[in-house]
Amino acid sequence: MNHIIATEKLNLYYNDFHALKNISMQMRPNTVTALIGPSGCGKSTYLRLFNRMNDLIDGVKITGDVRVEGKDIYAKNTDVVELRRKVGMVFQKPNPFPKTIFENVAYGLRVNGINDNGFIKDKIEQSLVQAALWDEVKDKLNKSAFELSGGQQQRLCIARALAIEPSIILMDEPASALDPISTAKIEELIYELKENYTIVIVTHNMQQAGRVSDNTAFFYLGELIEYGETKEIFTNPKDKKTQNYITGRFG
Amino acid sequence: MKYFLKKLTGKLIEGTLFLSSTVTTLTIILIVFFLFREGLSLFKHSPIEDGFVVAINSQNTVKKITSPQIMDIFDQEITNWEMVGGKNDSIILFRIDNITDYYTEEQMGDTLQHIPKLLSRLVDSIPGIVAFIPASYAGADFKGRILELDNISLRKFLTDKEWYPTAQPAAQMGVLALISGTLWVSLGAILLALPLGLATAIYMAEIANEKTRRVLKPLIELLAGIPSVVYGFFGLVIIVPLIQQVFDLPVGETGLAGSIILAIMALPTIITISEDALRTTPRAMKEASLALGANKWQTISRVTVPYAASGISAAAILGMGRAIGETMAVLMVTGNAAVMPHTLLEPVRTIPATIAAELGEATQGGLHFKALFALGCILFIITMMVNLTVEYISAKRKYSKR
Amino acid sequence: MEWPKNTERNKNLRQVIAFTSFKLLSYAVVMILFLILAQIIYKGISVISWEFLTAMPEDGMTKGGIFPAIVGTFYLVLGSMVFAFPIGVLSAIYINEYTKDSFYKRFIKLMTNSLAGIPSIVFGLFGMTLFVNTLGFGDSILAGSLTLGLLTLPVVIRTTEEALKSVDDSFRHGGYALGATKLQTIRRVVLPIAFPNIITGLILSIGRVSGETAPILFTVAAYFLPKLPTGIFDQVMALPYHLYVISTSGTNVAESQPIAYGTALVLIMIVLLVNIAANTLRRYLGKKVKMN
Ligand SMILES: Nc1ncnc2c1ncn2[C@@H]1O[C@H](COP(=O)(O)OP(=O)(O)O)[C@@H](O)[C@H]1O
Ligand SMILES: [Mg+2]
């Protein structure tokens, strides 16, 4: 078994609404998997399964299996906090905390009980370097994170996620609110991060999926229509719906 | 023609609507005008009530006397002219009622027509005299010297501690004790209400489920709807005796009683506004925290509350403003002693309570009346500053948070 | 990098402690409310009778009823609403429907909020100089009502504005699409939809006005006046002032205490009724809007 993430016959309901239908899918370590599909088809919902973000919503019901590193993360004895340390997340809109740049990156460490200031300092530098932000912010670590541009804020959020050393990073349309130059930077970053992390990225942008991902999954109305190597899906889709979508006929 | 009429009616209605919208502004302008006209006129006035004068012997070398000195003289705390910069001579007090000690009714005449002459003679004959007499008796041929007193000054008004607005001959108009009483009681109220209110706001906004919240919310509104006299009455029958027992005091009407009642009254304001502020924290921000492995409480204490900090401080300031302006409840439970408070376990008196308690007795247009309006001005200024601060904070919040 | 030791093993314990204390503190707030209500209802209920509500006070207000105070408060509420309700509603209509000038809007909003923040005793001072003295109304229902009306005006404006804002713009566009003028649209479409919410605001301000004491101290309230008013230039007794008087400065404070509890209960009943009415209206309304 070489799968770091796997779902098996997974169904998710928002009250009566059947949002994910019988999804079985596996992802290998150190790959980038893109989730694509028209708006409202369940991409975000699926992504948020892996760090149990859906738990926060009232009325969510889940059946089936979700495994991360082989463990059923919806089992009773799961430590959600521990899980979320292992599975980082980057959101659609940059959402830094109303704190300094330094404290933003330190946040994950602090809430996980790390108080060794030397370690925190080193870790912050390391994470910001990894997120390709260090050079731009190293002189203003004590400035508010809100002073950064949108693209910088998003890379700060990536650094923030990296600081707690996750093995998996979930990204929900991380570049959709950014300008093309910032987007290019984020994509470059994803490419570099792949070496050490498993990445699952939701994207609306076909070209982006094509550029950054190894595998692509196409969702439609809560169903997984097609999943395979990105090259395959883009050049030789098996399903008519997939073909329509990637050629821009709907969505 | 018909079209014209229709248009005219439209304009007329719009005009009426516009006029209605100006009423609040107009009211504020009128409040400022009437309040300050009456209140500021206090400072064009000497502390001696209109129609009266303080006269001394024309040979007396004393140049000037301040109004606290006059009070001390008439209270016989100052008994020698030396103590106020004159010659060594004891002071002899004279009030108009004392005239019978010196003259018979016969001498005064059937219609008391001789009094001015007699007074003039009396003041002239006693070197150490200080006489407080109606101004009408001290006409052109009055042989004594009329003491000139400085007008009441704003600085003295704000910094003196003595509040004896009806003292004769010279009123003592120091409001420092009242201002500090007001601030003490309100500050105490906020210190009590803020932790409780904030805890409730956090519970309602972040912890309780929707059902609990739907029960709590109207109850908090109810708390806000109870009239202040009812709070005052409750304080009087429950809190005041309780404080008296617990702290073993001679009286339970204390600053603390006021603070407790005001704290209860400030709770709904603090809870509602803080809750709204907490709710403005974007969901994404909370999710980011949780996604980093923070638990709910860490998220609340490190992200949600700091994000809402300015809104919460607006709530505290507004609560404080309400407490400062609250009248009836405070009037009923604080004991109303116009002295500088040292602890909250003494009776204190606030500005609004002073106005409410004394305005009924003050003569229309008199010194005391004016002084109470000046207190009203202070209250108005404080609450306006509170309002503007809160407006400023919330405008900034809206602006900075999209 | 070597991952240091987690020094915070008990963060979930902390959460449990924090949440439990917040819950308890919230319940404490509710307990305070219940304590006040319970005390006043418990001691007041035995005092309330038909006679208490309809008789004149007697024996230096230590016996008898509170009829004139009830009537006085009724007139004051009525008077202040007759004044504040139309002005407040018209003003809100102007701000929300007519003016596009956002500066003027902001200005009026600032003024309204400022007026709402002015302490009621200052309204008392103001009402006394303007209505009682300058305009020569004397201590009268008219002076008291106008003072209370100004005090409650911001409440009426705010709630009406909220009500108007909650009317979806599509209704307005619908009105215009049918060729109606702005005024017709407001009258026929917007106001009917906003109406229940406006009334809710009116009810709430009635609650507020009926309990205010400081503004009426020097504009209308009579210490003891065992007869009913015959015109708007008469003085009246009023419930909140009556409660203040008999609990602090009546002829015999101890002996009048039952009367005080009774009066407090009547005031509380008014507040309860007002809140229940407002909430019922709101809920009924919420359902109706959803159904449409
Ligand atoms: N909290 C929620 N409650 C109810 N339905 C939801 C909720 N979140 C999402 N949905 C529904 O689930 C479906 C999938 O949503 P989502 O996963 O956000 O789609 P995507 O990310 O692909 O645009 C949508 O139809 C959406 O309306
Ligand atoms: Mg999505």
Side-chain angles (χ1 to χ4, degrees):
Chain A
M1 276 285 281
N2 199 10
H3 299 139
I4 184 164
I5 300 177
T7 58
E8 193 61 39
K9 298 216 177 80
L10 184 110
N11 289 283
L12 184 143
Y13 303 82
Y14 290 115
N15 296 310
D16 297 335
F17 179 68
H18 198 171
L20 292 175
K21 298 173 187 161
N22 217 21
I23 309 235
S24 300
M25 183 170 152
Q26 300 82 33
M27 299 167 208
R28 281 200 310 279
N30 297 62
T31 56
V32 177
T33 305
L35 309 181
I36 63 170
S39 195
C41 67
K43 306 179 298 286
S44 298
T45 305
Y46 188 66
L47 188 77
R48 291 158 63 94
L49 278 175
F50 306 121
N51 63 347
R52 291 191 49 171
M53 264 331 204
N54 292 324
D55 290 17
L56 308 173
I57 297 163
D58 286 336
V60 168
K61 210 178 79 204
I62 296 167
T63 66
D65 248 12
V66 186
R67 290 182 181 278
V68 170
E69 295 180 344
K71 273 196 235 105
D72 177 6
I73 59 167
Y74 283 85
K76 279 234 163 57
N77 59 0
T78 307
D79 183 347
V80 179
V81 165
E82 203 49 39
L83 170 74
R84 287 178 183 156
R85 261 199 51 196
K86 214 162 12 187
V87 186
M89 186 160 202
V90 177
F91 297 79
Q92 185 165 0
K93 273 201 199 128
N95 55 356
F97 300 126
K99 299 177 188 292
T100 62
I101 294 170
F102 186 94
E103 283 305 323
N104 260 278
V105 188
Y107 187 86
L109 300 171
R110 295 202 196 283
V111 296
N112 285 297
I114 309 295
N115 285 317
D116 178 342
N117 282 328
F119 177 83
I120 290 178
K121 240 181 165 158
D122 294 344
K123 195 75 210 168
I124 283 169
E125 177 169 352
Q126 187 195 43
S127 311
L128 285 168
V129 168
Q130 264 185 305
L133 192 60
W134 176 249
D135 289 334
E136 290 159 63
V137 301
K138 62 173 183 245
D139 298 324
K140 46 180 179 182
L141 292 176
N142 287 320
K143 292 264 165 63
S144 163
F146 290 148
E147 288 180 20
L148 299 175
S149 73
Q152 288 174 323
Q153 286 187 13
Q154 192 64 307
R155 275 178 285 146
L156 180 68
C157 292
I158 294 176
R160 185 172 71 181
L162 295 176
I164 50 172
E165 299 185 355
S167 50
I168 298 165
I169 301 174
L170 310 173
M171 298 183 168
D172 194 347
E173 307 195 34
S176 67
L178 304 181
D179 59 276
I181 295 172
S182 306
T183 303
K185 276 194 181 148
I186 302 271
E187 287 180 11
E188 203 175 307
L189 191 55
I190 292 172
Y191 191 79
E192 278 165 23
L193 291 175
K194 189 169 85 170
E195 217 172 293
N196 299 309
Y197 304 88
T198 308
I199 296 172
V200 188
I201 177 172
V202 171
T203 177
H204 233 95
N205 178 329
M206 277 329 101
Q207 285 82 27
Q208 190 170 69
R211 283 193 298 266
V212 302
S213 69
D214 304 306
N215 298 306
T216 295
F218 172 64
F219 282 75
Y220 185 65
L221 296 179
E223 284 178 78
L224 175 62
I225 304 295
E226 197 166 345
Y227 175 46
E229 274 188 42
T230 301
K231 267 189 275 153
E232 272 298 300
I233 297 250
F234 275 77
T235 53
N236 188 15
K238 297 199 176 51
D239 197 287
K240 189 88 176 120
K241 290 189 209 113
T242 318
Q243 189 178 12
N244 285 346
Y245 184 70
I246 57 181
T247 52
R249 256 175 249 160
F250 66 93
Chain B
M1 188 63 199
K2 205 172 156 196
Y3 171 76
F4 177 74
L5 255 174
K6 206 167 165 185
K7 192 146 183 192
L8 189 73
T9 346
K11 282 276 165 238
L12 231 68
I13 287 170
E14 190 169 341
T16 316
L17 292 172
F18 170 73
L19 283 181
S20 303
S21 79
T22 60
V23 172
T24 46
T25 314
L26 223 65
T27 308
I28 292 192
I29 294 173
L30 284 175
I31 288 179
V32 170
F33 174 74
F34 281 107
L35 212 60
F36 283 80
R37 188 187 61 171
E38 199 73 42
L40 291 178
S41 70
L42 177 70
F43 304 110
K44 295 195 199 97
H45 213 291
S46 91
I48 295 174
E49 191 68 70
D50 268 343
F52 287 87
V53 293
V54 174
I56 54 175
N57 187 286
S58 52
Q59 305 298 312
N60 199 326
T61 53
V62 169
K63 292 265 150 45
K64 230 176 182 148
I65 298 185
T66 64
S67 75
Q69 281 171 337
I70 289 210
M71 187 164 98
D72 286 346
I73 289 172
F74 277 81
D75 283 350
Q76 299 179 1
E77 310 247 327
I78 296 177
T79 51
N80 194 304
W81 286 111
E82 223 174 7
M83 294 160 79
V84 288
K87 284 184 296 211
N88 180 7
D89 191 2
S90 58
I91 297 177
I92 293 158
L93 293 178
F94 178 83
R95 288 191 173 86
I96 189 67
D97 310 345
N98 303 133
I99 193 158
T100 47
D101 301 348
Y102 296 90
Y103 301 105
T104 62
E105 279 182 36
E106 225 168 283
Q107 285 172 300
M108 288 183 242
D110 328 326
T111 56
L112 306 174
Q113 72 273 33
H114 301 310
I115 288 183
K117 226 185 310 154
L118 297 177
L119 281 178
S120 175
R121 201 187 305 157
L122 184 71
V123 173
D124 201 34
S125 63
I126 306 175
I129 199 169
V130 55
F132 175 56
I133 53 177
S136 55
Y137 292 162
D141 44 5
F142 184 70
K143 293 216 196 74
R145 184 151 63 86
I146 292 176
L147 266 183
E148 294 289 334
L149 257 83
D150 281 341
N151 285 350
I152 296 167
S153 80
L154 180 61
R155 199 177 58 81
K156 287 236 147 166
F157 184 70
L158 293 177
T159 55
D160 274 5
K161 294 175 197 152
E162 251 52 22
W163 175 257
Y164 299 110
T166 53
Q168 299 279 22
Q172 306 297 305
M173 306 279 194
V175 298
L176 191 62
L178 306 181
I179 293 180
S180 23
T182 310
L183 294 180
W184 271 77
V185 172
S186 313
L187 208 64
I190 285 301
L191 289 182
L192 290 174
L194 198 59
L196 201 56
L198 192 54
T200 308
I202 291 176
Y203 182 70
M204 283 170 67
E206 299 287 330
I207 304 170
N209 58 25
E210 190 54 32
K211 226 171 93 191
T212 315
R213 209 181 90 80
R214 269 213 295 271
V215 176
L216 283 177
K217 192 92 183 159
L219 291 178
I220 305 293
E221 269 170 30
L222 198 57
L223 206 56
I226 296 178
S228 58
V229 260
V230 175
Y231 278 114
F233 178 63
F234 175 77
L236 205 56
V237 291
I238 302 290
I239 311 259
V240 165
L242 196 70
I243 288 180
Q244 186 183 0
Q245 272 176 20
V246 170
F247 295 98
D248 194 21
L249 299 171
V251 288
E253 278 101 341
T254 53
L256 182 62
S259 289
I260 292 174
I261 286 298
L262 283 178
I264 300 174
M265 296 177 75
L267 276 174
T269 308
I270 293 179
I271 294 173
T272 316
I273 298 180
S274 306
E275 197 203 340
D276 286 348
L278 289 167
R279 279 179 188 284
T280 62
T281 307
R283 196 194 165 81
M285 196 100 65
K286 296 185 221 166
E287 286 188 344
S289 166
L290 295 166
L292 288 166
N295 65 16
K296 232 171 141 182
W297 169 232
Q298 286 176 320
T299 304
I300 292 170
S301 63
R302 294 174 195 227
V303 175
T304 315
V305 172
Y307 189 89
S310 64
I312 293 169
S313 58
I317 294 171
L318 207 61
M320 178 97 181
R322 292 279 150 79
I324 288 175
E326 172 51 42
T327 311
M328 299 315 290
V330 176
L331 176 64
M332 292 165 82
V333 300
T334 54
N336 300 318
V339 291
M340 280 302 274
H342 300 287
T343 72
L344 275 180
L345 292 177
E346 292 165 40
V348 297
R349 165 182 275 211
T350 68
I351 294 176
T354 306
I355 300 174
E358 295 179 4
L359 192 66
E361 299 150 15
T363 342
Q364 182 82 219
L367 263 185
H368 188 194
F369 188 81
K370 289 180 171 138
L372 293 175
F373 271 79
L375 280 180
C377 295
I378 294 177
L379 205 54
F380 179 85
I381 291 170
I382 295 176
T383 46
M384 268 302 174
M385 283 184 339
V386 165
N387 285 344
L388 293 177
T389 312
V390 169
E391 289 291 325
Y392 175 74
I393 292 175
S394 56
K396 226 172 99 178
R397 271 178 76 79
K398 238 178 252 164
Y399 179 76
S400 70
K401 274 145 199 181
R402 281 154 271 176
Chain C
M1 258 190 264
E2 180 72 24
W3 196 260
K5 224 174 129 52
N6 185 345
T7 57
E8 194 177 2
R9 280 258 160 265
N10 50 2
K11 79 181 185 190
N12 288 328
L13 179 69
R14 280 193 197 183
Q15 167 158 315
V16 171
I17 293 172
F19 283 13
T20 316
S21 20
F22 286 176
K23 189 173 180 168
L24 291 177
L25 288 172
S26 306
Y27 288 178
V29 171
V30 176
M31 279 312 296
I32 292 173
L33 173 70
F34 284 153
L35 196 70
I36 295 173
L37 295 183
Q39 173 75 16
I40 287 167
I41 293 172
Y42 173 68
K43 293 259 182 123
I45 198 90
S46 56
V47 181
I48 301 251
S49 64
W50 182 246
E51 208 221 313
F52 179 74
L53 298 175
T54 56
M56 296 289 166
E58 284 161 27
D59 281 352
M61 297 183 280
T62 57
K63 293 212 175 63
I66 55 167
F67 188 53
I70 293 178
V71 172
T73 288
F74 174 76
Y75 281 135
L76 289 175
V77 166
L78 196 71
S80 59
M81 285 304 135
V82 162
F83 168 70
F85 187 62
I87 292 185
V89 170
L90 293 181
S91 165
I93 291 177
Y94 186 77
I95 299 165
N96 204 56
E97 307 287 327
Y98 273 83
T99 181
K100 293 198 184 60
D101 183 349
S102 75
F103 177 78
Y104 186 69
K105 255 188 203 175
R106 280 219 309 276
F107 176 74
I108 293 294
K109 197 164 198 132
L110 180 69
M111 286 297 143
T112 310
N113 287 349
S114 301
L115 195 64
I118 293 176
S120 52
I121 187 74
V122 173
F123 278 92
L125 287 176
F126 169 65
M128 177 186 189
T129 37
L130 179 61
F131 302 126
V132 176
N133 296 336
T134 308
L135 297 178
F137 298 158
D139 278 1
S140 61
I141 295 180
L142 182 60
S145 297
L146 288 171
T147 310
L148 287 171
L150 289 177
L151 176 98
T152 192
L153 193 57
V155 183
V156 179
I157 293 179
R158 275 194 208 152
T159 47
T160 308
E161 252 197 283
E162 292 295 317
L164 292 173
K165 261 189 215 148
S166 69
V167 177
D168 202 276
D169 262 347
S170 61
F171 290 106
R172 294 186 180 84
H173 299 320
Y176 297 145
L178 292 172
T181 64
K182 185 167 199 152
L183 188 64
Q184 285 168 328
T185 309
I186 293 172
R187 225 178 55 199
R188 302 253 164 80
V189 183
V190 179
L191 281 183
I193 298 175
F195 185 71
N197 262 327
I198 297 177
I199 295 299
T200 310
L202 176 74
I203 294 174
L204 286 174
S205 40
I206 287 176
R208 167 103 198 264
V209 164
S210 57
E212 280 290 347
T213 318
I216 58 172
L217 280 177
F218 314 114
T219 53
V220 49
Y223 178 84
F224 177 64
L225 187 68
K227 68 182 179 63
L228 300 185
T230 53
I232 57 170
F233 290 105
D234 282 359
Q235 262 191 293
V236 283
M237 293 177 81
L239 284 170
Y241 183 58
H242 189 59
L243 174 57
Y244 166 65
V245 164
I246 55 181
S247 59
T248 61
S249 52
T251 50
N252 189 338
V253 173
E255 251 187 79
S256 348
Q257 217 183 50
I259 307 261
Y261 272 109
T263 312
L265 182 54
V266 172
L267 278 167
I268 289 280
M269 292 308 283
I270 294 176
V271 172
L272 279 174
L273 283 178
V274 157
N275 272 273
I276 290 170
N279 279 324
T280 313
L281 208 62
R282 246 184 241 154
R283 198 162 306 156
Y284 165 77
L285 206 142
K287 276 204 192 105
K288 217 173 108 183
V289 166
K290 255 178 226 148
M291 253 157 57
N292 284 353

